[in-house]
Amino acid sequence: MERRVRVRFAPSPTGALHIGGVRTCLYNYLFAKQNNGDLVFRIEDTDSNRFVPGAEEYILESLKWLGIKFDEGVSFGGNYGPYRQSERREIYKKYVQQLLDSNHAYIAFDTPEELNAKREAIPNFQYDASTRLQMRNSLTLPKEEVEKLIAEGKQYVVRAKIEPNEEIIVHDIIRGDVHVNSSIIDDKVLYKSADNLPTYHLANIVDDHLMEISHVIRGEEWLPSAPLHVLLYRFFGWEDTMPKFAHLALLLKPDGNGKLSKRDGDRLGFPVFPLEWHDPKTGDISSGYRESGYLPEAVINFLALLGWNPGNDQEIMSMDELISLFKLEKCSKSGAKFDFEKGKWFNHQYIQQTDNKIIAESFNKDIIANGITTTPQKVEQVVSYMKSRVNFINELWPLCSFFWIAPTEYDAKAVQKRWKPETPKMMKELKEILLQWNDFDNPDTTEEYVKQWCEKQSYGLGNVMNPFRLMLVGELKGPHMFEVTAVLGKEETIRRMDVALEKLPTFA
Ligand code: GLU
């Protein structure tokens, strides 16, 4: 029988979730959903020194905003809990003992000072088969001595006993078979008596086993740990149910080589975190995609294509399409450059295809923040005329404020160029014919009406439209002229014309 697909996202709560971590989680989600499997949210908090308060909540809020849903885990419940490793101490004890009993691990008492002395004495010192017999551990000390030290409460660690010169193969769905010689692996610490907790390696393996994880999809930075993980599965006799591995290539700097870092974002002006992050230690605030005006669907689509593509030119894909099209084995082996300009492009595309009502709700917050109260209809109308011009919703207000705030001054350069001696007379006539017009709501018929009048009077269109725009907007910007009049309506259009005719040169 095929094994049920169960994958997990297992962050350590050490700070904000990096955008690369979001992509890892997304790929886990897509893979779980396309296989009708489960996505588990596990918190790997065995390293108390690196714990950052608020990080777990931040990660949960980020993924919720992005629409990535978990089936079980911390805050979601489930049958395999607890899902926070610091709450699983008792569970791990048995497995540490199992490795000690089967001689795959040993107890070591070396103090940090002793280890440092060794590192200084032996170049490239590695705690392994070549050195372990020179150290203070249960392989070199008599059994009674070991028992005495433990009884006295001396701190110790449990180390994996890695035999040298064995071939280890990591079967990776993306990379194929990765061969590693065990001699390069040191006798990694699996448990620390000081914390009464296992380290990442042991807790990760035990939990993946107990939680019946079928596939481990994670960042490439964990590939170096994989050979040890394969060995641990062997030590426990769990090879038959060992999860399949898939190590995702890194997200790279937009320019140059190397891993994408927060500094790149600061330097080039884009967020590397999904939500704004307030670092509780430094007090620093880092920008987030949400607060920068990205739509979650756009972020998802953008990230999905950093390291995978559907094999054709299709770029715009909904979450449902991604779920059906995504192929883990087609993920790239080499890193994907983080092209944030493309991220903006995606946001632009998603603004165009999102219902105006939803964009309007968000834009209305900026309008209110500027002290304006308005009607939802007007906001939606402005959105429908203006959204094609922006990449972000927060670009709308500076472009559109004139719809609510009448000009009090007029762009001097534009006046000089466009407000000619014959203009005031033309604009007065235009006002007169507009007073007779009642279909302002319809930009097309209004345009037709004004154009016909221009033709009849033999007035050049530019000589009419530019000063007309100047009167209503204050400068020569904005959408189509008759979209402006449609939003302003008859009364406000005429009022602005009257004010402008007062304020602008009359040449009389
Ligand atoms: N706790 C690790 C992390 O922070 C998990 C690595 C893994 O998925 O095995 O990414």
Side-chain angles (χ1 to χ4, degrees):
M1 207 183 81
E2 273 282 306
R3 201 174 175 200
R4 181 173 178 81
V5 167
R6 286 177 54 82
V7 293
R8 82 297 194 274
F9 183 57
S12 298
T14 56
L17 178 60
H18 189 277
I19 200 73
V22 175
R23 187 198 54 173
T24 299
C25 188
L26 172 63
Y27 284 10
N28 273 285
Y29 175 73
L30 298 177
F31 185 73
K33 292 303 109 185
Q34 70 182 198
N35 290 295
N36 298 315
D38 307 317
L39 173 60
V40 178
F41 182 61
R42 185 168 79 215
I43 285 288
E44 303 211 324
D45 58 348
T46 55
D47 188 351
S48 55
N49 295 324
R50 297 185 60 219
F51 178 80
V52 172
E56 182 183 305
E57 294 75 9
Y58 174 94
I59 295 168
L60 279 167
E61 197 189 334
S62 300
L63 298 171
K64 189 170 169 207
W65 176 66
L66 288 161
I68 296 176
K69 296 181 202 79
F70 290 92
D71 299 287
E72 59 188 83
V74 172
S75 87
F76 304 102
N79 295 331
Y80 297 78
Y83 293 93
R84 206 182 270 114
Q85 290 186 330
S86 58
E87 293 166 17
R88 297 172 63 81
R89 275 171 216 276
E90 290 312 311
I91 297 172
Y92 302 122
K93 281 203 175 128
K94 171 174 149 199
Y95 296 99
V96 176
Q97 196 54 50
Q98 190 176 325
L99 291 180
L100 288 169
D101 292 345
S102 60
N103 203 21
H104 288 305
Y106 59 94
I107 292 173
F109 295 97
D110 318 87
T111 61
E113 295 74 33
E114 286 167 343
L115 287 169
N116 275 337
K118 270 283 177 218
R119 284 191 195 107
E120 271 167 35
I122 305 174
N124 302 324
F125 169 78
Q126 175 165 287
Y127 205 125
D128 62 15
S130 70
T131 56
R132 62 170 81 110
L133 295 181
Q134 307 164 27
M135 310 299 289
R136 271 193 337 117
N137 55 44
S138 57
L139 304 173
T140 57
L141 300 169
K143 197 165 175 275
E144 305 71 48
E145 174 79 8
V146 171
E147 277 162 11
K148 190 173 134 258
L149 289 171
I150 293 175
E152 281 170 4
K154 283 273 184 297
Q155 301 293 11
Y156 65 92
V157 298
V158 173
R159 287 182 180 272
K161 192 168 163 219
I162 310 289
E163 297 308 339
N165 267 319
E166 274 180 32
E167 166 143 269
I168 308 169
I169 303 173
V170 180
H171 301 289
D172 189 290
I173 293 171
I174 299 170
R175 285 149 210 280
D177 287 355
V178 180
H179 295 253
V180 174
N181 187 300
S182 65
S183 300
I184 67 161
I185 308 173
D186 62 339
D187 288 355
K188 281 263 169 349
V189 173
L190 301 178
Y191 172 87
K192 291 180 183 171
S193 70
D195 302 340
N196 186 23
L197 267 175
T199 58
Y200 156 73
H201 301 290
L202 188 85
N204 187 272
I205 287 321
V206 167
D207 287 351
D208 282 347
H209 174 73
L210 295 178
M211 295 177 187
E212 297 185 45
I213 298 302
S214 62
H215 297 76
V216 166
I217 305 168
R218 62 184 172 190
E220 181 177 36
E221 62 273 32
W222 302 99
L223 185 56
S225 305
L228 172 69
H229 294 184
V230 170
L231 275 182
L232 289 173
Y233 279 102
R234 203 187 286 170
F235 292 170
F236 282 120
W238 295 337
E239 288 114 312
D240 289 351
T241 55
M242 181 164 78
K244 295 198 167 73
F245 290 102
H247 288 93
L248 306 170
L250 292 175
L251 295 186
L252 304 174
K253 293 179 189 306
D255 52 350
N257 296 320
K259 189 177 175 223
L260 174 73
S261 73
K262 188 174 125 37
R263 272 192 308 281
D264 299 318
D266 295 343
R267 184 168 56 87
L268 299 165
F270 62 88
V272 297
F273 298 140
L275 314 181
E276 191 171 272
W277 167 248
H278 297 242
D279 190 313
K281 281 188 185 146
T282 61
D284 288 352
I285 298 177
S286 308
S287 65
Y289 278 84
R290 183 177 65 183
E291 291 73 13
S292 303
Y294 281 85
L295 297 170
E297 298 82 2
V299 178
I300 288 291
N301 197 155
F302 168 50
L303 285 180
L305 287 169
L306 289 174
W308 168 82
N309 67 67
N312 56 31
D313 292 342
Q314 189 180 358
E315 292 191 290
I316 300 296
M317 282 166 275
S318 67
M319 191 71 107
D320 284 343
E321 285 175 288
L322 289 170
I323 289 170
S324 68
L325 294 171
F326 179 72
K327 286 206 170 54
L328 190 55
E329 62 277 13
K330 286 273 153 51
C331 286
S332 167
K333 281 197 245 310
S334 49
K337 267 201 197 312
F338 192 80
D339 181 357
F340 62 97
E341 290 301 334
K342 192 77 194 195
K344 290 185 195 165
W345 179 86
F346 272 107
N347 210 52
H348 178 85
Q349 299 301 320
Y350 273 84
I351 287 179
Q352 307 323 306
Q353 68 174 50
T354 300
D355 194 41
N356 292 338
K357 216 184 167 106
I358 294 171
I359 307 288
E361 272 165 27
S362 167
F363 176 35
N364 197 36
K365 293 190 187 116
D366 295 345
I367 298 176
I368 292 169
N370 281 283
I372 308 270
T373 32
T374 182
T375 62
Q377 291 78 6
K378 182 166 172 179
V379 184
E380 247 183 82
Q381 196 184 8
V382 170
V383 164
S384 74
Y385 296 147
M386 298 296 282
K387 72 175 187 175
S388 65
R389 297 161 181 247
V390 299
N391 292 334
F392 299 101
I393 295 170
N394 62 12
E395 290 169 356
L396 283 171
W397 175 251
L399 285 180
C400 303
S401 59
F402 70 86
F403 283 115
W404 287 275
I405 303 172
T408 50
E409 286 170 50
Y410 302 88
D411 178 25
K413 263 197 190 144
V415 172
Q416 204 186 15
K417 194 162 165 216
R418 298 295 187 181
W419 196 264
K420 299 173 186 166
E422 65 274 22
T423 307
K425 177 177 163 283
M426 286 163 95
M427 291 299 109
K428 275 182 204 153
E429 289 174 25
L430 174 60
K431 185 188 131 187
E432 290 311 317
I433 66 134
L434 286 174
L435 277 170
Q436 290 161 39
W437 180 248
N438 286 314
D439 196 17
F440 271 68
D441 285 349
N442 188 333
D444 297 332
T445 55
T446 313
E447 176 172 19
E448 210 28 57
Y449 174 67
V450 172
K451 274 190 175 164
Q452 274 178 17
W453 168 75
C454 287
E455 230 165 83
K456 212 173 98 214
Q457 302 297 109
S458 303
Y459 291 157
L461 220 48
N463 289 336
V464 172
M465 293 306 168
N466 285 305
F468 187 31
R469 181 178 293 277
L470 209 47
M471 297 170 96
L472 300 190
V473 180
E475 49 188 323
L476 297 178
K477 69 164 199 190
H480 193 281
M481 201 53 227
F482 296 98
E483 291 174 351
V484 175
T485 55
V487 175
L488 294 180
K490 184 169 179 175
E491 203 182 310
E492 178 65 8
T493 300
I494 299 296
R495 199 190 66 76
R496 289 191 187 190
M497 291 181 90
D498 283 336
V499 172
L501 284 167
E502 282 270 311
K503 289 200 173 184
L504 287 166
T506 57
F507 302 103

